[in-house]
Amino acid sequence: MDGPNRTMSTDSSESRIAARGRALALTVAAAFVAGCSPETPDAQADPSGDLPPGFWFDERTAVRPADLGELGYADGYEAPDERWTGVRVHDPSAAYAGAMVLASGHEPAAHVLHPDGSLERRWALDRHPENAPLVPEPDHPTQRTWRRVEPLADDGLLAIHEGLCLLRLDDESRVMWAGVPGAHHDLEVDGEEVWTLDRRVRPPEGEGADAWIVDDGLARVDLSDGTVRQRLSILGLVEASDSAGLVEEAIRQARSIDVPSAVEGDAPRRALDPLHANALVCLPAAPNEIVVLLRDIGALASIDVVEGRLAWLRMGPWQGAHDPRVQITEETGPRGRVLLFDNFGRRDAARPSSRVLALSLPGLATETVYEDDPPEGFHSPVCGALAPLPGDLVLVVETTAGRAFQIDASGRLVWEFRSPFRLEERGIVAALLDMRPLNRSR
């Protein structure tokens, strides 16, 4: 891809980071999301043992801005829609009718959603007792779920056990390997390799510095055995580029989160999270580059993984965004376009609202391809996911509502799913963390 390392001066970028950080913290605080950090014990206790596995949370309540980095991977924290659950097809002639695989926040498992609306619990850690010792113990409830799942051609599955590790399971749910300590958020399969994000901490540096810093990494992993073949520090690459001036302001605006230690038995380290890398995507027109989304500075950054450098960094009008995905259509050509789940981008709405954006390549000109009417009818304050489907359809996952839907090229809703993993009597629904076609890897 062409273009400079950034689209504006460093001074204006730093001001934009400061404004974005304040706005993002205030907007999420106003979104009434129940926190899931160790300091906010919203999980429901159940002495009778009648609850299903996992953790369940009260419907949305106010949250401190400091909790922002630890939101989004909770097991459930939104009041359910009591009208219906399952699948509703709005246009059978347009909707994608293939099977889907999904990850729900109430347990470390992946279900297959069949075209008739039935659910099959196909992969799960508890199907084999020998799996348990292979997975690190979670430090808090948000790590008890699978944040991202990817079905493989051999009927196995890759899963990110959020903040803990990357897992490969076979078709009978046996863990083949568990690797990449601190793996989080996202992965991309590239032939016999996997790209994923991991997280470490950097000790205080410089005179007067006393805060540890989160150092998100981009890891290239061998699919056969989980060995990390290459790791690039995203923070280090930004610091070594001509966008280095952004880092200082990002650290000043950063929230702190708990980062699990790579050393077994060590307690998590509290550290500032200036960039918060939360997604990665491979671009078909730039095979040596991986684009990562840096949520807290609102930037897409392309990393040249061969030369080990930041190729470019660009900010945009999105806020708190997640899950960039490349969609290739006849209109876009082989370069495709990047779809983006913009969690707080609709700033003129009466209440916090989300939208789906399309970014053209290579210039990243932006257009809105979906928003609700009224706009606040579609909103996930954290997470959110997208998956391009055949026929120019897009699957949209509204995580905190436990909802997914398909839109056609005009933005028309043609298919909808509402998660049955809910506790009606307590007014909560499990977060729908990921959904994608089952057979796209086959």
Side-chain angles (χ1 to χ4, degrees):
M1 292 182 61
D2 303 321
N5 281 14
R6 59 183 187 279
T7 56
M8 58 192 72
S9 70
T10 299
D11 288 344
S12 62
S13 297
E14 290 174 357
S15 300
R16 192 167 181 178
I17 290 172
R20 189 187 301 272
R22 290 190 294 269
L24 185 58
L26 291 172
T27 307
V28 174
F32 306 112
V33 184
C36 55
S37 69
E39 294 87 354
T40 53
D42 296 308
Q44 298 294 313
D46 182 40
S48 67
D50 292 336
L51 289 181
F55 284 75
W56 301 83
F57 290 78
D58 294 331
E59 64 180 312
R60 292 178 173 177
T61 56
V63 62
R64 301 189 306 273
D67 291 329
L68 181 61
E70 295 176 73
L71 293 177
Y73 322 112
D75 306 276
Y77 43 72
E78 178 142 340
D81 183 317
E82 296 181 353
R83 291 171 298 173
W84 62 276
T85 63
V87 169
R88 177 176 289 175
V89 180
H90 298 271
D91 185 348
S93 66
Y96 174 73
M100 304 276 192
V101 60
L102 65 89
S104 174
H106 70 290
E107 62 173 340
H111 292 73
V112 174
L113 175 63
H114 293 285
D116 64 1
S118 62
L119 281 166
E120 173 193 356
R121 188 175 184 266
R122 184 169 295 185
W123 298 276
L125 281 181
D126 62 9
R127 288 182 61 179
H128 289 279
E130 60 268 28
N131 286 344
L134 300 176
V135 181
E137 280 295 318
D139 296 304
H140 53 78
T142 65
Q143 296 175 336
R144 295 181 181 272
T145 62
W146 288 348
R147 173 67 175 84
R148 175 85 162 79
V149 292
E150 180 66 38
L152 299 174
D154 64 357
D155 293 329
L157 186 82
L158 283 173
I160 291 180
H161 211 311
E162 183 60 26
L164 294 179
C165 62
L166 176 66
L167 301 170
R168 181 174 180 177
L169 295 89
D170 66 14
D171 59 344
E172 296 183 345
S173 290
R174 291 186 178 89
V175 173
M176 300 172 64
W177 52 258
V180 197
H184 63 97
H185 278 92
D186 202 6
L187 64 87
E188 282 267 4
V189 177
D190 183 15
E192 295 304 311
E193 297 179 331
V194 184
W195 290 99
T196 191
L197 300 169
D198 73 358
R199 183 173 284 160
R200 301 179 184 177
V201 290
R202 178 189 296 181
E205 296 178 355
E207 185 177 353
D210 59 359
W212 289 67
I213 306 295
V214 174
D215 182 13
D216 282 319
L218 178 63
R220 179 170 61 90
V221 184
D222 191 313
L223 181 60
S224 65
D225 61 10
T227 301
V228 176
R229 301 299 184 188
Q230 178 185 15
R231 184 189 190 269
L232 296 168
S233 165
I234 298 171
L235 184 63
L237 294 181
V238 176
E239 290 174 324
S241 74
D242 62 0
S243 296
L246 304 179
V247 174
E248 185 176 347
E249 180 60 34
I251 290 175
R252 284 198 293 267
Q253 297 294 324
R255 290 159 292 275
S256 61
I257 65 173
D258 286 333
V259 179
S261 173
V263 179
E264 187 174 355
D266 284 2
R269 172 72 65 175
R270 197 76 178 174
L272 296 176
D273 184 18
L275 301 181
H276 196 86
N278 68 359
L280 64 95
V281 62
C282 301
L283 299 181
N288 292 333
E289 294 182 19
I290 304 290
V291 173
V292 296
L293 179 61
L294 308 178
R295 185 195 69 181
D296 280 18
I297 66 170
L300 287 168
S302 184
I303 297 172
D304 187 317
V305 298
V306 174
E307 297 185 8
R309 64 178 179 85
L310 184 70
W312 52 261
L313 184 150
R314 295 183 183 130
M315 293 181 172
W318 51 83
Q319 185 164 310
H322 286 78
D323 215 42
R325 294 289 166 239
V326 174
Q327 182 189 39
I328 297 175
T329 67
E330 184 175 342
E331 182 178 349
T332 65
R335 280 185 175 269
R337 63 179 183 174
V338 175
L339 302 171
L340 190 66
F341 192 107
D342 187 9
N343 296 63
F344 292 99
R346 184 65 188 268
R347 297 177 177 86
D348 58 343
R351 294 193 300 275
S353 308
S354 300
R355 58 183 178 170
V356 179
L357 301 179
L359 317 177
S360 65
L361 301 175
L364 296 186
T366 303
E367 65 172 316
T368 299
V369 298
Y370 179 79
E371 56 188 2
D372 208 346
D373 184 19
E376 54 267 22
F378 168 51
H379 182 50
S380 187
V382 288
C383 297
L386 301 169
L389 298 173
D392 295 351
L393 298 172
V394 179
L395 177 69
V396 183
V397 179
E398 191 179 2
T399 295
T400 62
R403 174 178 178 244
F405 55 92
Q406 297 173 23
I407 55 173
D408 66 13
S410 68
R412 182 174 61 102
L413 190 147
V414 298
W415 177 96
E416 192 172 3
F417 169 78
R418 293 179 183 266
S419 173
F421 302 119
R422 54 186 63 210
L423 299 174
E424 302 288 1
E425 72 280 6
R426 300 197 181 186
I428 56 176
V429 57
L432 184 58
L433 294 167
D434 196 16
M435 180 183 284
R436 60 199 56 255
L438 173 64
N439 295 318
R440 74 172 187 168
S441 299
R442 306 181 185 195

